[in-house]
Amino acid sequence: MFLVYVSAAVLAACLQVSPVSGQFPRACMTVDGILSKECCPELISPDGLTLGVCGQTASRGSCQDLTVPDIPHNPEYPFTNVDDRERWPNKFFNRTCVCEGNFWGYNCGECRYGWTGESCDQLASPVLRKNIKNCTAEERRRFVDALDQAKRTVHPDYIICKEHWLGLLGPNGTEPQVTNVTIYNLFVWMHYYAVRDTLLGPGQPFRAIDFAHEGPAYNTWHRMHLLWLEREMQKMLGDETFALHYWDWAVGGSECDVCTDDMMGGRHPLNPTALSPGSPFSRWQSVCMSLDDYNRLVTLCNGTDEGPIFRNPGGNVDRPAVTVLPQREDVGRCLDIPEYDRFNWTKATRGSFRNSLEGYSDPEGQYNPDIRSLHNLAHLFLNGTGGITHASANDPIFVLLHSYSDAIFDAWLRLQNSSSLIGYPEEGAPIGHNQNNTMVPFMPVIRNADVFQLSEDLGYAYDVLPQRIPSNQPLSGIEIFGITVGAVFLAVVLLSVVSVSVRVLSCRRRRGRDGRGVYEPLVGDDSRTGRQYTGEGSVVYSDDQVKYEGN
């Protein structure tokens, strides 16, 4: 059973207006809250008792200064005090609730992930994330219905900012520029906000920044993203056993086996890029699509509908390399990489498990700018909304795709016994990607290091984890047949070399040159690599002014 605690301000607001949702706690997004930079709401118990600011009278937490260390990052991001995501969330709040023990939440009204009970002192039974292909028809229906409900349900506790941080209080300084958003659209907005460009001025985006990709935080950020959605849907449903399912996309081939109406939506019979009208997802509208417009207007996505989801799996004939899904062997070889990440901790890193799983290196860790593999390849294969980085979460298949990526991460943690953060940089990674950086835009704040642990410790598990490829993997029936025919032919031609020929062929077919199986790297694609700064001058921001110093 859920024990829901709310803040006094939220309780009062809910009596006057519809509940809202978003990046920030509604109770804190008032003129006074924004000006004071304090987010420490009072906590109300389920039976209506006031438990004080941050639940202090119940020893749940207290209001404290928020110390966000200034951790050195790589020089690719050259600014200071320019982007509202720097040292998150100090641009918005520098005093927040700090919860005791296993209490959690912006008002200390919940339990940390993996814990339960009135005092948050009991280990929670892990919810089970399943391969959606192995779910029953009823389980699939409940899952699809729950996603659709989340798309339509306004979040009761959070709201989003719809303007640049310097205009957060509006032109008169009295109207917080925030708006309501549904649970699933907030999930989309969070992803957009983490990857969007830095706004330097009208039409002057700085593009070489991403708090969720192209660095060590790829796995930890997306893990937290899924955890957030899973819990919010559990609360929406009143069912703490609800779990996100996954799509095992390492099946090869050019077909999307979960793109059917009983799962993530089939293909429209008359439009190959649209979803089937038999799926509720055909009625979904995308948000946060128009990145260039936001950059031009120096504004943020405000959650407005911007058109339907489109998808054409395997249909990009101009880029043959992204028309076929990853193979099972690709995942196995990625799991064999012993180091989580390596210097320079970017998308050009070699010998990095993270970079191979993210898909900028091949599955064996070799970087090639033309390669897109594993996670990246699965996105690009979708050939639509799901392949647009800042907007990809609009397609609900994003949830299943990233749940499987997280399963690979969890399998790697177990196989390599690497939950000790070895290989995760303390400093020098891209901004936001060091192990003790707070993850954008989550509140309450949480560090990358906090979720670098086994899934059961965070309250969930997978029905089946991906496996590495054994070095002595037995030959398949086709391989055995081919070898047999070849051996007979060679015997007829020259009996004296039969045994040698068979042994060589068997060795090569069984192991390959590296002893781990035959592997042919993916060929490249023509996508743009890297991001470039489009302005021609230095920019200096302070808390109360913007100045562009052009040449």
Side-chain angles (χ1 to χ4, degrees), residues 38-313:
E38 180 174 294
C39 183
C40 295
E42 284 193 328
L43 182 64
I44 306 298
S45 71
D47 54 4
L49 296 177
T50 300
L51 302 181
V53 169
C54 305
Q56 187 166 3
T57 60
S59 301
R60 298 178 74 94
S62 59
C63 187
Q64 298 181 25
D65 290 342
L66 178 63
T67 302
V68 180
D70 187 9
I71 302 172
H73 53 77
N74 73 13
E76 187 173 29
Y77 179 75
F79 308 112
T80 300
N81 199 33
V82 170
D83 194 300
D84 54 13
R85 298 166 294 180
E86 297 175 38
R87 299 179 65 195
W88 177 261
N90 273 5
K91 270 284 180 257
F92 300 95
F93 299 108
N94 55 28
R95 280 180 63 81
T96 62
C97 289
V98 175
C99 304
E100 300 291 336
N102 294 318
F103 294 117
W104 174 254
Y106 70 90
N107 57 6
C108 301
E110 301 179 19
C111 297
R112 290 188 181 276
Y113 295 99
W115 295 87
T116 189
E118 186 172 355
S119 299
C120 299
D121 56 356
Q122 302 171 30
L123 286 172
S125 298
V127 300
L128 188 62
R129 296 182 182 177
K130 298 180 180 180
N131 183 338
I132 194 170
K133 291 276 290 181
N134 297 333
C135 290
T136 65
E138 177 62 18
E139 288 173 330
R140 292 178 185 176
R141 184 193 64 79
R142 288 201 304 266
F143 181 70
V144 168
D145 287 350
L147 285 173
D148 194 42
Q149 183 178 340
K151 181 71 171 179
R152 295 179 284 104
T153 301
V154 176
H155 199 294
D157 298 321
Y158 287 91
I159 53 180
I160 57 172
C161 297
K162 59 180 182 179
E163 292 293 344
H164 186 272
W165 62 277
L166 291 172
L168 189 55
L169 287 175
N172 299 320
T174 58
E175 299 179 9
Q177 300 299 292
V178 294
T179 191
N180 299 351
V181 66
T182 67
I183 292 171
Y184 193 86
N185 281 355
L186 174 53
F187 179 73
V188 176
W189 193 95
M190 288 171 143
H191 191 262
Y192 143 79
Y193 188 79
V195 308
R196 69 171 177 83
D197 303 328
T198 297
L199 303 175
L200 300 178
Q204 298 170 358
F206 177 79
R207 301 185 187 278
I209 189 169
D210 190 325
F211 288 81
H213 305 88
E214 301 182 16
Y218 161 72
N219 287 304
T220 51
W221 193 95
H222 286 89
R223 169 167 280 193
M224 184 61 207
H225 196 213
L226 293 175
L227 277 169
W228 179 90
L229 179 64
E230 192 165 61
R231 172 162 298 185
E232 296 310 310
M233 292 182 68
Q234 288 170 351
K235 291 189 291 185
M236 174 192 75
L237 297 168
D239 178 8
E240 59 188 355
T241 67
F242 173 82
L244 302 176
H245 296 314
Y246 66 88
W247 168 35
D248 179 355
W249 35 256
V251 293
S254 58
E255 297 295 326
C256 174
D257 58 359
V258 298
C259 295
T260 59
D261 283 352
D262 65 329
M263 289 185 276
M264 306 317 294
R267 196 187 299 267
H268 194 287
L270 302 178
N271 183 350
T273 66
L275 299 188
S276 163
S279 168
F281 303 130
S282 67
R283 299 185 289 275
W284 280 29
Q285 287 283 308
S286 296
V287 298
C288 302
M289 294 286 292
S290 306
L291 191 63
D292 289 341
D293 289 341
Y294 312 145
N295 290 342
R296 177 174 54 83
L297 299 171
V298 194
T299 191
L300 300 180
C301 165
N302 63 9
T304 302
D305 291 345
E306 299 184 33
I309 296 165
F310 60 97
R311 187 198 301 158
N312 184 15

